[in-house]
Amino acid sequence: CACLSHSPPFHYNTAGWNIRERKRQMPNLFFEHLAPREREEFLACCESGMYRKDSPIIHKGDSTRDLFVIKTGSATAADSWDEDVVPLAIFAEGDVFGEMSFIDGSPRSATVVANEDSVIHRMSFDRFQKLMDENPRLAARFLMGFMRVLVKRLQFTDQTFTTLAVMNRELKRNTVEFRKAMLAQNPGNR
């Protein structure tokens, strides 16, 4: 666990991110399928840890398969590109993250850092397998909520990709127009 004492490799600037607006756009569907008693049963299978502001919760490339749920606080998933840190998602109370590695065992695809002091529930993959044997009904309801989260994230990714494709097309068009205008002003620089 990277709790309390671990210092992060870099700081995520989330000042421009509005958590309430993000929650409106991407509502938490994870626990929606569970009755309060089931939610408590599920969380009883988790370990909890306190992460200080700017502490990493997940490191990109790690081979862990744990799934995380934010009890209090918030966190940001980000990747680095050259020297830039690229924020990918922000998570708030009740949100789940770490799902890709949890499902397929692949290395972590991003680093997740606490934006503020946060309490995080952690479900190990091994513990979830035991839960499937001990309480298959709860595990099935968990998986339904989990699938809804994944579908919503995929829809959001599709929308983002479409937006970027349109922006790229507009950028290409504007670049061509800019070149034409520059050449018209300086015909000797062809």
Side-chain angles (χ1 to χ4, degrees):
C1 179
C3 304
L4 301 182
S5 63
H6 190 57
S7 60
F10 42 76
H11 174 73
Y12 299 118
N13 180 3
T14 58
W17 290 47
N18 182 325
I19 292 175
R20 281 195 191 113
E21 178 63 16
R22 196 221 47 87
K23 290 293 286 180
R24 186 188 66 72
Q25 292 174 348
M26 288 281 282
N28 179 359
L29 303 171
F30 182 59
F31 285 125
E32 191 175 86
H33 259 67
L34 301 180
R37 180 186 52 76
E38 292 173 321
R39 182 179 308 163
E40 293 307 315
E41 275 184 76
F42 176 80
L43 293 175
C45 296
C46 298
E47 295 180 14
S48 295
M50 168 67 133
Y51 292 81
R52 296 279 184 214
K53 180 180 181 187
D54 297 330
S55 293
I57 302 163
I58 293 175
H59 292 275
K60 181 179 179 175
D62 281 356
S63 59
T64 60
R65 289 191 76 174
D66 300 335
L67 182 73
F68 298 86
V69 180
I70 297 182
K71 179 179 181 183
T72 62
S74 63
T76 298
D79 198 359
S80 54
W81 183 269
D82 294 327
E83 297 167 8
D84 295 323
V85 175
V86 180
L88 304 172
I90 190 165
F91 305 108
E93 185 177 316
D95 283 338
V96 61
F97 60 93
E99 70 279 356
M100 290 189 286
S101 296
F102 183 77
I103 291 170
D104 73 359
S106 62
R108 300 293 183 175
S109 61
T111 295
V112 179
V113 172
N115 296 331
E116 57 193 296
D117 291 355
S118 301
V119 176
I120 312 289
H121 298 295
R122 180 175 60 87
M123 168 71 79
S124 72
F125 186 76
D126 291 339
R127 181 62 188 108
F128 181 70
Q129 288 181 312
K130 278 181 71 175
L131 177 66
M132 286 192 300
D133 292 337
E134 295 168 0
N135 192 341
R137 183 178 186 280
L138 177 60
R141 292 178 59 78
F142 158 81
L143 289 173
M144 283 301 298
F146 195 57
M147 287 188 304
R148 294 179 101 199
V149 168
L150 295 177
V151 166
K152 207 55 152 160
R153 288 183 181 167
L154 184 57
Q155 290 170 341
F156 180 78
T157 301
D158 288 348
Q159 291 170 351
T160 302
F161 183 77
T162 300
T163 300
L164 290 173
V166 169
M167 290 171 63
N168 185 47
R169 183 185 67 214
E170 293 299 316
L171 180 61
K172 286 179 181 179
R173 184 180 306 141
N174 291 341
T175 301
V176 168
E177 293 301 318
F178 178 73
R179 275 193 188 142
K180 287 178 183 177
M182 292 302 293
L183 289 173
Q185 287 181 354
N186 300 313
N189 289 342
R190 291 184 187 235

